Amino acid sequence: MSQDAVRVTNFIRNIIDADLASGKHTNIVTRFPPEPNGYLHIGHAKSICLNFGIGQDYKGQTNLRFDDTNPEKEDIDFVNSIKEDVKWLGFEWAGDIRYSSNYFEQLYQYAIELINNGKAFVCELDAEQMREYRGTLKQPGKPSPSRDRSIEENLDLFERMRNGEFAEGQYSLRAKIDMASPNIKMRDPILYRIRFVEHHQTGDKWCIYPMYDFTHCISDAIEGITHSLCTLEFEDHRPLYDWVIDNISIETHPQQIEFSRLNLEYTVMSKRKLASLVENNLVDGWNDPRMPTIAGMRRRGYTPQSIVEFCKRIGVTKQENVIEMSALESCLREDLDSKAPRAMVVLDPIKLVIENYPEDQVEQLTASNHPKDESMGTRTIPFSREVYIDRADFREEANKKYKRLVLDKEVRLRNGYVVKALRCDKDDNGDVTTVYGTYDPETLGKKPSDGRSVKGVIHWVSASEGVNAEVRIYDRLFTEANPAAAEDFAEVINPESLIIRKNAIAEPSLVSAPAELAYQFEREGYFCADNQDSSPEHLVFNRTVGLRDTWAKQGA
Ligand code: ATP
Ligand code: MG
């Protein structure tokens, strides 16, 4: 799959093209501004691909900036995971990592500038009063009693806020804009509030913290961002973004442009909701392979290329929509089909004893690693008198449609001989435990000489040489296409989202399978060794995705 086969365009790139043509800009600068309050998810990947993609294609630059104005919810672990995920997706940020908190001193000075120009005031309304004064969509707000405080008094109070002289909530700094604005965001929004909390970057240096709407636009302007791309819910923040920049003495004026966020069926995509899955132990951490986080998808076996390709295919628009999971999975299958070496693993083993094969003999058979790509080479797989086959691949009786092993019939062992089943043993429940049969020594790599036709091919692993493996089969985390609508996530979790097979048997070459590298387990799907729990002593494989889409809309 070629990453740049088609150079995608979209309405944002059209704006940039026009800005370059008119000479408004000569160098394009974008940023990706995550808040370090959770792990990145596939929705963020859309924003990452958009911002870094523009930086690359226009030979400009893209900054990685942590939007860290909410110290209560933020954490250095999140900072580290975000850096790792951006790199893993294949992108490089320009220069050092940036933090909004790097600009706290400058932001403070701009706030003083607003006060000096009569554009901001220290307000003493508490949260509840402020809500009352704010008005509603239908009714204008009322001015705060503090609105006409003198500049001197505002400067004095703001400095004392910074010095820690007041309690949380006692005062705030607000912009003086328009209490009657139809846009509630413009009704004298809060710019600073008092918070006595340690910050992961600035420690206890500050006890006042700037609000997102004041911080983001100024951080963009300080960094010389030309196009500040964000999701649609920020549309009604844009007038405030522009107001702040217009009312302080800063040279550049970045342009905020909104696009629709990515929504995916059968998953949730807000960090708050993902955090609640983690906190309520509904999943096994942020990197649970069922999570739509980059870390979870990586652990499950997604490749960066498949995610980038998906983001390219969904495009960038202003339309709200929900993407089907099959769109993501088909990008993954396409990428893995060409890349993944083949291997044989029996997930639900029963024994096949080949009675005309010598007891202690082990023969090394050769198998190609990829049926369509010789350059991927070959490997040897041991064959012996006893092999494991999958329970689903044997029946005592079956009709012609069943192309696997049946009593008195023949089937080919993949990469090996033709075998015939003669009889079987069962346990007390009537479940087959062992099948007995024979092999035809003349059929290795060729058809039976007398013209017998053997249609079925099944996978197998030598019982004496194979290794035990735990295989985790993942499915959709939720049973509902729109789980966010459910009152309680616990009710819509798919009880079959994780099925563990502890007794799988893998061909011995898989002992050295590197974590995260995709294999196609023949006839079963794509799998990779778990990057957290797998070791040569205890192999653990995750099913990345099945071979075919079993969720495709019926009759669609
Ligand atoms: P969430 O709602 O998941 O917590 P957020 O917007 O609060 O997301 P941020 O860390 O603030 O998360 O997001 C960083 C960037 O990623 C922002 O520019 C945001 O608009 C973008 N982004 C977040 N979610 C999506 C999504 N689902 N699709 C596209 N872009 C997204
Ligand atoms: Mg946010």
Side-chain angles (χ1 to χ4, degrees), residues 350-376:
I350 57 172
K351 209 173 247 183
L352 168 65
V353 179
I354 301 159
E355 293 177 308
N356 60 339
Y357 195 86
E359 288 231 8
D360 294 320
Q361 186 169 319
V362 177
E363 193 175 340
Q364 298 296 335
L365 307 180
T366 303
S368 70
N369 288 332
H370 198 292
K372 288 173 262 173
D373 184 354
E374 270 183 31
S375 74
M376 290 179 70

CSV table of all heavy atoms in Angstrom, one decimal, residues 350-376:
chain,number,residue,atom,x,y,z
A,350,ILE,N,-7.3,-31.1,18.7
A,350,ILE,CA,-7.5,-32.6,19.0
A,350,ILE,C,-6.4,-33.3,18.2
A,350,ILE,O,-5.8,-32.8,17.3
A,350,ILE,CB,-8.9,-33.1,18.5
A,350,ILE,CG1,-9.1,-32.8,17.0
A,350,ILE,CG2,-10.1,-32.5,19.3
A,350,ILE,CD1,-10.3,-33.5,16.4
A,351,LYS,N,-6.1,-34.5,18.8
A,351,LYS,CA,-4.9,-35.2,18.2
A,351,LYS,C,-5.3,-36.1,17.0
A,351,LYS,O,-6.3,-36.7,17.0
A,351,LYS,CB,-4.3,-36.1,19.3
A,351,LYS,CG,-2.8,-36.3,19.2
A,351,LYS,CD,-2.3,-37.1,20.4
A,351,LYS,CE,-1.4,-36.2,21.2
A,351,LYS,NZ,-0.8,-37.0,22.3
A,352,LEU,N,-4.4,-36.1,16.0
A,352,LEU,CA,-4.5,-37.0,14.9
A,352,LEU,C,-3.3,-37.9,14.9
A,352,LEU,O,-2.1,-37.4,14.9
A,352,LEU,CB,-4.5,-36.2,13.6
A,352,LEU,CG,-4.4,-37.0,12.3
A,352,LEU,CD1,-5.6,-38.0,12.1
A,352,LEU,CD2,-4.3,-36.1,11.1
A,353,VAL,N,-3.5,-39.2,15.1
A,353,VAL,CA,-2.4,-40.2,15.2
A,353,VAL,C,-2.3,-40.9,13.8
A,353,VAL,O,-3.3,-41.5,13.3
A,353,VAL,CB,-2.6,-41.2,16.3
A,353,VAL,CG1,-1.4,-42.2,16.3
A,353,VAL,CG2,-2.8,-40.6,17.6
A,354,ILE,N,-1.1,-40.7,13.2
A,354,ILE,CA,-0.9,-41.3,11.8
A,354,ILE,C,-0.3,-42.6,11.9
A,354,ILE,O,1.0,-42.7,12.2
A,354,ILE,CB,-0.1,-40.3,11.0
A,354,ILE,CG1,-0.9,-38.9,10.9
A,354,ILE,CG2,0.1,-40.8,9.6
A,354,ILE,CD1,0.0,-37.8,10.5
A,355,GLU,N,-1.0,-43.7,11.9
A,355,GLU,CA,-0.6,-45.0,12.3
A,355,GLU,C,0.5,-45.6,11.4
A,355,GLU,O,1.2,-46.5,11.9
A,355,GLU,CB,-1.8,-45.9,12.5
A,355,GLU,CG,-2.6,-45.4,13.7
A,355,GLU,CD,-3.9,-46.3,13.9
A,355,GLU,OE1,-4.6,-46.5,12.9
A,355,GLU,OE2,-4.1,-46.7,15.1
A,356,ASN,N,0.5,-45.2,10.2
A,356,ASN,CA,1.6,-45.8,9.3
A,356,ASN,C,2.8,-44.9,9.2
A,356,ASN,O,3.7,-45.1,8.4
A,356,ASN,CB,1.0,-46.1,7.9
A,356,ASN,CG,0.5,-44.8,7.2
A,356,ASN,OD1,0.3,-43.8,7.9
A,356,ASN,ND2,0.4,-44.9,5.9
A,357,TYR,N,2.9,-44.0,10.1
A,357,TYR,CA,4.2,-43.1,10.2
A,357,TYR,C,5.0,-43.6,11.3
A,357,TYR,O,4.6,-43.9,12.4
A,357,TYR,CB,3.8,-41.7,10.4
A,357,TYR,CG,4.9,-40.7,10.1
A,357,TYR,CD1,5.1,-40.3,8.8
A,357,TYR,CD2,5.8,-40.3,11.1
A,357,TYR,CE1,6.2,-39.4,8.5
A,357,TYR,CE2,6.9,-39.5,10.8
A,357,TYR,CZ,7.0,-39.0,9.5
A,357,TYR,OH,8.1,-38.2,9.2
A,358,PRO,N,6.4,-43.8,11.1
A,358,PRO,CA,7.3,-44.3,12.1
A,358,PRO,C,7.2,-43.5,13.4
A,358,PRO,O,7.2,-42.3,13.4
A,358,PRO,CB,8.7,-44.1,11.5
A,358,PRO,CG,8.4,-44.0,10.0
A,358,PRO,CD,7.1,-43.4,9.8
A,359,GLU,N,7.2,-44.3,14.6
A,359,GLU,CA,7.0,-43.7,15.9
A,359,GLU,C,7.9,-42.5,16.2
A,359,GLU,O,7.5,-41.5,16.7
A,359,GLU,CB,7.1,-44.7,17.0
A,359,GLU,CG,6.0,-45.6,17.0
A,359,GLU,CD,5.3,-45.8,18.3
A,359,GLU,OE1,5.6,-45.2,19.3
A,359,GLU,OE2,4.4,-46.7,18.3
A,360,ASP,N,9.2,-42.7,16.0
A,360,ASP,CA,10.1,-41.7,16.6
A,360,ASP,C,10.7,-40.7,15.5
A,360,ASP,O,11.6,-40.0,15.7
A,360,ASP,CB,11.3,-42.3,17.3
A,360,ASP,CG,10.8,-43.0,18.5
A,360,ASP,OD1,9.9,-42.4,19.2
A,360,ASP,OD2,11.2,-44.2,18.8
A,361,GLN,N,10.1,-40.8,14.3
A,361,GLN,CA,10.6,-40.0,13.2
A,361,GLN,C,10.0,-38.6,13.3
A,361,GLN,O,8.9,-38.3,13.6
A,361,GLN,CB,10.2,-40.6,11.9
A,361,GLN,CG,10.8,-39.9,10.7
A,361,GLN,CD,10.6,-40.8,9.4
A,361,GLN,OE1,10.7,-42.0,9.5
A,361,GLN,NE2,10.3,-40.1,8.4
A,362,VAL,N,10.9,-37.6,13.0
A,362,VAL,CA,10.5,-36.2,12.9
A,362,VAL,C,11.1,-35.7,11.5
A,362,VAL,O,12.3,-35.8,11.3
A,362,VAL,CB,11.0,-35.3,14.0
A,362,VAL,CG1,10.5,-33.8,13.7
A,362,VAL,CG2,10.4,-35.7,15.3
A,363,GLU,N,10.2,-35.2,10.7
A,363,GLU,CA,10.7,-34.8,9.3
A,363,GLU,C,10.5,-33.3,9.2
A,363,GLU,O,9.5,-32.8,9.7
A,363,GLU,CB,9.7,-35.5,8.4
A,363,GLU,CG,10.1,-35.5,6.9
A,363,GLU,CD,9.0,-36.3,6.2
A,363,GLU,OE1,8.3,-37.1,6.8
A,363,GLU,OE2,8.9,-36.1,5.0
A,364,GLN,N,11.5,-32.7,8.6
A,364,GLN,CA,11.4,-31.2,8.5
A,364,GLN,C,10.8,-30.9,7.1
A,364,GLN,O,11.5,-31.1,6.1
A,364,GLN,CB,12.8,-30.5,8.7
A,364,GLN,CG,13.5,-30.8,10.0
A,364,GLN,CD,12.7,-30.1,11.2
A,364,GLN,OE1,11.9,-29.2,11.0
A,364,GLN,NE2,12.8,-30.7,12.4
A,365,LEU,N,9.6,-30.4,7.1
A,365,LEU,CA,9.0,-30.0,5.9
A,365,LEU,C,9.3,-28.5,5.6
A,365,LEU,O,9.6,-27.7,6.5
A,365,LEU,CB,7.5,-30.2,5.9
A,365,LEU,CG,7.0,-31.6,6.3
A,365,LEU,CD1,5.5,-31.7,6.4
A,365,LEU,CD2,7.6,-32.6,5.4
A,366,THR,N,9.2,-28.1,4.3
A,366,THR,CA,9.5,-26.7,4.0
A,366,THR,C,8.2,-26.0,3.7
A,366,THR,O,7.4,-26.5,2.9
A,366,THR,CB,10.4,-26.6,2.8
A,366,THR,OG1,11.6,-27.4,3.1
A,366,THR,CG2,10.8,-25.2,2.4
A,367,ALA,N,8.0,-24.8,4.2
A,367,ALA,CA,6.8,-24.0,3.9
A,367,ALA,C,7.2,-22.6,3.5
A,367,ALA,O,8.1,-22.1,4.1
A,367,ALA,CB,5.9,-24.0,5.1
A,368,SER,N,6.4,-22.1,2.6
A,368,SER,CA,6.8,-20.7,2.2
A,368,SER,C,6.1,-19.7,3.2
A,368,SER,O,5.0,-20.0,3.7
A,368,SER,CB,6.3,-20.4,0.7
A,368,SER,OG,4.9,-20.4,0.7
A,369,ASN,N,6.8,-18.6,3.5
A,369,ASN,CA,6.3,-17.7,4.5
A,369,ASN,C,5.2,-16.8,3.9
A,369,ASN,O,4.4,-16.3,4.7
A,369,ASN,CB,7.5,-16.8,5.0
A,369,ASN,CG,8.4,-17.6,5.8
A,369,ASN,OD1,8.0,-18.6,6.5
A,369,ASN,ND2,9.7,-17.2,5.8
A,370,HIS,N,5.1,-16.7,2.6
A,370,HIS,CA,4.0,-16.0,2.0
A,370,HIS,C,3.7,-16.5,0.6
A,370,HIS,O,4.6,-16.6,-0.2
A,370,HIS,CB,4.4,-14.5,1.9
A,370,HIS,CG,3.2,-13.6,1.7
A,370,HIS,ND1,2.5,-13.6,0.6
A,370,HIS,CD2,2.7,-12.7,2.6
A,370,HIS,CE1,1.5,-12.7,0.7
A,370,HIS,NE2,1.6,-12.1,1.9
A,371,PRO,N,2.5,-16.9,0.4
A,371,PRO,CA,2.1,-17.6,-0.9
A,371,PRO,C,2.3,-16.7,-2.1
A,371,PRO,O,2.6,-17.2,-3.2
A,371,PRO,CB,0.7,-17.9,-0.7
A,371,PRO,CG,0.1,-17.0,0.4
A,371,PRO,CD,1.3,-16.7,1.3
A,372,LYS,N,2.3,-15.3,-1.9
A,372,LYS,CA,2.4,-14.4,-3.0
A,372,LYS,C,3.7,-13.7,-3.1
A,372,LYS,O,3.8,-12.8,-3.9
A,372,LYS,CB,1.2,-13.5,-3.0
A,372,LYS,CG,-0.2,-14.1,-3.4
A,372,LYS,CD,-1.3,-13.2,-3.2
A,372,LYS,CE,-2.0,-13.4,-1.9
A,372,LYS,NZ,-3.1,-12.4,-1.6
A,373,ASP,N,4.6,-13.9,-2.1
A,373,ASP,CA,5.8,-13.1,-2.1
A,373,ASP,C,7.0,-14.0,-1.7
A,373,ASP,O,7.3,-14.3,-0.6
A,373,ASP,CB,5.6,-12.0,-1.0
A,373,ASP,CG,6.8,-11.1,-1.0
A,373,ASP,OD1,7.8,-11.3,-1.7
A,373,ASP,OD2,6.7,-10.1,-0.3
A,374,GLU,N,7.6,-14.5,-2.8
A,374,GLU,CA,8.8,-15.4,-2.6
A,374,GLU,C,9.9,-14.8,-1.8
A,374,GLU,O,10.7,-15.4,-1.1
A,374,GLU,CB,9.4,-15.8,-3.9
A,374,GLU,CG,8.7,-17.0,-4.5
A,374,GLU,CD,9.4,-17.5,-5.8
A,374,GLU,OE1,10.6,-17.2,-6.0
A,374,GLU,OE2,8.6,-18.0,-6.6
A,375,SER,N,10.0,-13.4,-1.8
A,375,SER,CA,11.1,-12.8,-1.2
A,375,SER,C,11.0,-12.9,0.4
A,375,SER,O,12.0,-12.7,1.1
A,375,SER,CB,11.1,-11.3,-1.5
A,375,SER,OG,10.1,-10.6,-0.9
A,376,MET,N,9.9,-13.3,0.8
A,376,MET,CA,9.7,-13.5,2.3
A,376,MET,C,10.3,-14.9,2.7
A,376,MET,O,10.3,-15.2,3.9
A,376,MET,CB,8.3,-13.4,2.7
A,376,MET,CG,7.9,-11.9,2.6
A,376,MET,SD,6.2,-11.6,3.1
A,376,MET,CE,6.2,-11.9,4.8
